[in-house]
Structures are given as structure tokens and as C-alpha cells.
Amino acid sequence: MINMTTPLVEMDGDEMTRILWQMIKDELILPYIDLKTEYYDLGLENRNETDDQVTIDSAEATKRLGVAVKCATITPNAARMDEYKLKSMWKSPNGTIRAALDGTVFRAPIVVKGIEPCVRNWKKPITLARHAYGDVYKNVEIRVPGAGRAELVYTGEDGTEIRETIQDFKGPGVIQGMHNTDASITSFAHACFKYAIDTKQDLWFSTKDTISKKYDHRFKDIFQDLYDNEYKDKFEEIGITYFYTLIDDAVARVMKSKGGFIWACKNYDGDVMSDMVSSAFGSLAMMTSVLVSPSGVYEYEAAHGTVQRHYYKHLAGEETSTNSVATIFAWTGALRKRGELDGIEELITYANDMERAVLWTIESGKMTKDLALITTLDNVTVLNSQEFIREIRKTYDSIK
Ligand code: NAP
Ligand code: MG
């Protein structure tokens, strides 16, 4: 049994991933680790019962303890209001937690032999870091009805005014006002530099500062200043680089690269590029996600949702073949980080071995249905949700 000193913040969730969560704990964690967690039930029923206070509490606990692992959760919509008889359409837990931790989300694919990326030269994962505040996601828009002047006006607290003409319209059109803040961009930059150092990967950052000479240029300057003043020495010491380029140049280079770096993107670019990168790597069920706060707090999860369709099959008593890999990696990621922070070597070894066991199990041809559909391997055995996890346990026992 491996002992822990500091508990993990455990955020339980919904539907099929909640079922997998328990299986993973029973088969892959509790037999090997004297698991210490502070448990928060973020399942929709309990969020509703606690008026979503449990989500806020779990985020506060993460700030206090430093490392959390989260199960996928339902973000309520109209249909869920009826299904769960909700008091209110509670906000997305991920949004609440991200706001509380002021974090940046890093998404990386799990690369395994037999599940080949569409882009042949990608040999290593590409981690996407998306700035999760502002720009077009907090914009103000006007549908211009006809001829007239559109202006951009800033009024300082002391009354000073900055005024620019956007356009003298001759007829109807559209305008859009966006913003970002130095504070948010700085937090984003810190999280990116820290994560690059943490994972010993190069950091790329791209904007369109040749066209957006003030807005995007501010992003570029904040990153560059932080790099020069706070991170350059550490980057050079561990042999990684910081590389700024234009977004279109970055796209071209990413396609020709071998992978193995972090690509930091503005909010919209990150939204678009993360879906492209993740689908090109093969499967949403093989995508990990970690929220990193500028103060160095970590929350690990799978990138996919609660796999509702499989859950209804499960409730109907049918067999499911749901892929638990990203959720297992959320646990190993969190346990490894706990091991690093607390200096528990066995915990780090456990996480490394368990991840290897997952990959070897798949490489030996044993996998869930989603992977069987896209694998390049022959002689594949399709396993159900439970069998796949038990097979991983066997592999782990044989290598540990
Ligand atoms: P989803 O849960 O990601 O599943 C969409 C489809 O992708 C599934 O029906 C399944 O395809 C496939 N899939 C995803 N994960 C898989 C896995 N681990 N193994 C095998 N197949 C997998 O997205 P959704 O159905 O749109 O959303 C369901 C709920 O999740 C929603 O209530 C949403 O709010 C929530 N959600 C939560 C998070 C989060 O907590 N981070 C993120 C996204 C969505 P097939 O049906 O074809 O097998
Ligand atoms: Mg998107």
C-alpha cells in the first residue's frame, strides 16, 4: 500500500462517467493506494440540493489543498431541468471552478500505438492552452440599421476620454466591441510558462499582432515581458524554448511539426484549434484536460462529457463499452502531482506504471469499442467497460 500525506480534492460527477469513476477507484486505485481524498459530490442531484454550494466549496478546497481530480458533470439545459426537477439551471461546474481558480485549461491527447493521428508526422502530443476569458466571448454587438457614425469611446474614472471612429456607415452593417484585461492575459501567460516548465515542453504562442496592432500586440508584449523578466533563465536551464509567431504561420508549422509542444492560443483561436487538434489525434475519449491556476493549483479531468447515451443503455441493463482512459489519466495525473508536491516517489511510480499499463493494454489489442472502430491494429478484442478496466489491472499487476 502506498501512503499519501495530503488528500486530493475528489469531485464526483454524473451519468456514465460516475459509474466509471467508481470502477476505476475499486479496481485500479484502492487496491494499491491508501487513498486520501476530500470528497465533493458534484453530481447534479447534490448540486441542486446544495444550491450549487458544493461546487464553490470544491473549488475553495482545491485552492487550499492544491490538487483536484474531477469527474465529468452535466451542464444543465432545459431538458435536464425536467429530468432532474432542478430548482434552477445551475451554471457549468467547470465554468464556476475555472472562475474561482482563475485558471487556464491545457488539453493534451494520449498517444498510443494503434491509434494513429490523421496527420502522419505528429509523433508526440500537442497540448493546447486556451485563454478562457474575454475577446469575442464577452463582446457587445450592434446591428447597425443604416447610415451613421460608429465610435469607440473610453471614459476614465477621472473623466479623461479616448475616442476613435470605427466607421462612417453609408448604409446598414454590424459592429462589435470586445475587451480583455492585462490581469487576465498576465494570469494566462504565467500559467502557460509554468506548465511548460512543469512538463518540459517548448511553448508556442500565436496571435495576429500585425493586423491588431494594439489589442493582439498587448498579448504579445505581456508574454514577452514575463518571459524576459521571470522565465527565460529557467527555460534555458532545462533546455526548452519560448516561440512567438503569427497565428497563420503557427497553423502551418503545427501541421508540419512532430508535436511535443504546448500551443497557447487566444480564446477564439483556442476554441477552434483545440477541436481540430483533438479530433485529428483520434478520439475525444483519449483527451486529457488540466486546469492550472497562476498560483500553481491543478485540477485534472477528462475532456469528454458524461457519455449520456451509454448511461441510458447501462440503466436499461445493456452492456456498455465506454472508454475510461481519459478518466484514469485524470486520476494518475492528480496522484503524480500530489506525489511531486509531497515528495512521495512511490506515488509517482504508481502513476507512471498505471499509465503504461493502460497503453500496453490497448497496444496488445484489448480496447473499448470507440477505439476498435479507428485502430490500425489487427486481432482486436472489444471489451465492455468493466472488462477493459480489469484488463488494465492485470497488465499493471504484471509490470509493477
Ligand atoms: P459526451 O459525453 O462527450 O459524449 C458524446 C459522444 O462521444 C458519446 O455519445 C460517445 O459517442 C462519444 N464519447 C465521449 N466520451 C466517450 C468515452 N469515454 N467512451 C466512448 N465514447 C465516448 O458529450 P455529450 O453527450 O454531448 O454530453 C453529455 C453531458 O456531458 C452533457 O450533459 C454535457 O453538459 C456534459 N459535458 C460535461 C463536460 C465536463 O464535465 N467537462 C464536458 C462536455 C460535456 P457514441 O454515442 O457514438 O458512442
Ligand atoms: Mg468549441
Side-chain angles (χ1 to χ4, degrees):
M1 274 289 177
I2 301 165
N3 281 307
M4 296 175 63
T5 46
T6 318
L8 282 177
V9 178
E10 175 182 355
M11 304 171 176
D12 208 342
D14 288 300
E15 301 195 309
M16 199 59 211
T17 42
R18 190 180 179 101
I19 309 280
L20 296 178
W21 195 257
Q22 197 57 51
M23 288 182 191
I24 291 167
K25 281 173 68 177
D26 289 344
E27 294 283 342
L28 302 180
I29 299 173
L30 295 174
Y32 309 103
I33 297 173
D34 186 14
L35 184 68
K36 280 200 175 66
T37 73
E38 216 172 86
Y39 179 86
Y40 293 86
D41 183 1
L42 266 54
L44 187 49
E45 273 163 20
N46 193 46
R47 276 183 276 149
N48 192 50
E49 223 142 82
T50 63
D51 293 335
D52 210 22
Q53 185 61 37
V54 66
T55 307
I56 295 160
D57 291 346
S58 73
E60 289 307 316
T62 306
K63 283 190 199 164
R64 176 164 44 82
L65 294 173
V67 186
V69 56
K70 181 181 171 292
C71 181
T73 47
I74 292 168
T75 300
N77 55 15
R80 302 295 198 170
M81 293 290 289
D82 295 339
E83 187 184 355
Y84 285 83
K85 307 205 168 34
L86 300 179
K87 292 187 245 175
S88 162
M89 204 185 284
W90 307 112
K91 282 190 275 184
S92 149
N94 289 62
T96 303
I97 295 163
R98 198 159 57 213
L101 301 182
D102 184 20
T104 298
V105 174
F106 296 85
R107 280 187 163 196
I110 298 156
V111 176
V112 54
K113 257 186 245 123
I115 312 296
E116 305 300 331
C118 304
V119 181
R120 264 175 298 139
N121 42 282
W122 287 358
K123 299 295 178 212
K124 290 181 181 172
I126 295 169
T127 302
L128 214 125
R130 171 182 172 189
H131 184 210
Y133 177 82
D135 302 349
V136 74
Y137 299 84
K138 273 205 176 288
N139 70 357
V140 179
E141 302 185 334
I142 297 175
R143 171 89 175 81
V144 173
R149 170 168 294 187
E151 292 179 307
L152 200 55
V153 183
Y154 161 82
T155 315
E157 273 179 344
D158 63 358
T160 50
E161 189 183 277
I162 307 174
R163 185 178 289 261
E164 293 277 348
T165 300
I166 298 168
Q167 179 72 356
D168 283 314
F169 283 93
K170 305 277 180 282
V174 281
I175 51 178
Q176 177 180 69
M178 315 194 281
H179 81 281
N180 222 301
T181 66
D182 282 10
S184 176
I185 301 165
T186 303
S187 288
F188 175 53
H190 275 301
C192 291
F193 287 123
K194 287 209 169 95
Y195 198 67
I197 291 168
D198 237 34
T199 59
K200 297 195 174 55
Q201 298 184 88
D202 291 345
L203 175 65
W204 297 17
F205 181 47
S206 52
T207 74
K208 194 71 179 175
D209 69 290
T210 45
I211 299 298
S212 174
K213 291 187 196 317
K214 293 211 172 81
Y215 197 108
D216 280 17
H217 207 89
R218 188 73 195 128
F219 282 77
K220 179 184 178 182
D221 282 348
I222 287 175
F223 268 72
Q224 193 64 48
D225 286 349
L226 272 185
Y227 178 68
D228 292 341
N229 296 321
E230 286 190 40
Y231 293 102
K232 193 162 187 273
D233 292 346
K234 188 69 191 172
F235 266 54
E236 285 173 357
E237 183 192 319
I238 63 174
I240 58 173
T241 55
Y242 169 61
F243 171 61
Y244 175 84
T245 189
L246 289 169
I247 179 76
D248 39 354
D249 181 51
V251 169
R253 285 172 188 262
V254 163
M255 295 310 284
K256 300 213 170 215
S257 76
K258 290 195 166 58
F261 54 88
I262 299 162
W263 183 13
C265 288
K266 286 179 62 197
N267 210 348
Y268 173 81
D269 298 339
D271 185 357
V272 176
M273 291 305 159
S274 65
D275 281 14
M276 186 194 75
V277 170
S278 64
S279 63
F281 266 105
S283 165
L284 197 56
M286 298 290 281
M287 187 64 60
T288 63
S289 184
V290 55
L291 177 72
V292 182
S293 84
S295 61
V297 162
Y298 296 77
E299 184 249 310
Y300 293 84
E301 61 176 283
H304 61 77
T306 61
V307 210
Q308 181 181 17
R309 211 179 61 82
H310 295 209
Y311 181 59
Y312 290 157
K313 277 177 70 178
H314 171 83
L315 287 182
E318 288 175 52
E319 190 168 86
T320 59
S321 180
T322 314
N323 188 334
S324 47
V325 171
T327 307
I328 296 169
F329 272 62
W331 275 101
T332 52
L335 289 165
R336 178 189 295 107
K337 179 53 72 183
R338 207 54 277 166
E340 286 168 7
L341 294 174
D342 296 344
I344 305 172
E345 205 57 48
E346 298 93 321
L347 217 45
I348 300 171
T349 307
Y350 162 86
N352 293 341
D353 287 349
M354 187 55 76
E355 289 180 0
R356 247 179 337 131
V358 171
L359 302 184
W360 286 7
T361 304
I362 297 169
E363 286 169 7
S364 75
K366 301 192 180 92
M367 58 189 76
T368 44
K369 193 173 154 198
D370 57 308
L371 296 184
L373 289 170
I374 56 171
T375 187
T376 53
L377 299 175
D378 306 317
N379 299 322
V380 165
T381 314
V382 179
L383 302 176
N384 68 33
S385 308
Q386 178 97 53
E387 287 166 347
F388 179 58
I389 289 172
R390 293 214 168 119
E391 221 31 75
I392 293 168
R393 181 170 178 181
K394 274 193 219 156
T395 315
Y396 177 77
D397 284 337
S398 73
I399 63 173
K400 82 173 155 81

